[in-house]
Amino acid sequence: MVKLEVIDKEFNDYTLRDDHNKIYIVNIRFYIDEEVQVGNIIYLPESVLNEVNCYAYGPIKEDTRKEEDDLIKVITDKNELSLERYYG
């Protein structure tokens, strides 16, 4: 997974910066109770950064097996959330 900082957000388009100052724009819809803000950290699989697509992530459902590329982590001011890909 790649550690990315949210540096800008416009609707569901997130501008993200990695530790090497490379910039990515990824369209992500989060199905969580809190809003992902500028300054938060998102850990995404590298495969997501190399594709052009819209993604949706939400809470992990306990009853299904997950592929590594389907899981992400979001760190907000209040929580550290592990999420799974719903589509994209």
Side-chain angles (χ1 to χ4, degrees):
M1 283 214 220
V2 179
K3 178 183 176 185
L4 302 154
E5 179 184 1
V6 178
I7 60 171
D8 194 23
K9 177 186 167 197
E10 188 172 325
F11 190 55
N12 291 331
D13 290 330
Y14 290 83
T15 303
L16 309 169
R17 179 177 53 215
D18 68 13
D19 289 339
H20 304 289
N21 288 323
K22 187 168 181 182
I23 303 296
Y24 303 90
I25 298 173
V26 182
N27 184 284
I28 306 173
R29 170 112 192 221
F30 290 101
Y31 291 95
I32 55 177
D33 290 335
E34 62 185 289
E35 189 174 337
V36 177
Q37 305 275 346
V38 171
N40 292 162
I41 302 296
I42 302 175
Y43 288 88
L44 288 173
E46 199 166 335
S47 62
V48 169
L49 300 176
N50 296 325
E51 299 174 3
V52 177
N53 206 340
C54 299
Y55 296 92
Y57 292 92
I60 294 174
K61 298 174 185 167
E62 296 294 329
D63 60 345
T64 59
R65 183 179 167 111
K66 311 299 181 283
E67 296 293 326
E68 189 173 311
D69 280 354
D70 291 335
L71 301 174
I72 68 168
K73 184 183 287 189
V74 176
I75 301 173
T76 67
D77 295 335
K78 299 177 185 177
N79 292 309
E80 185 172 311
L81 307 164
S82 293
L83 306 173
E84 73 173 322
R85 186 186 319 195
Y86 287 175
Y87 62 83

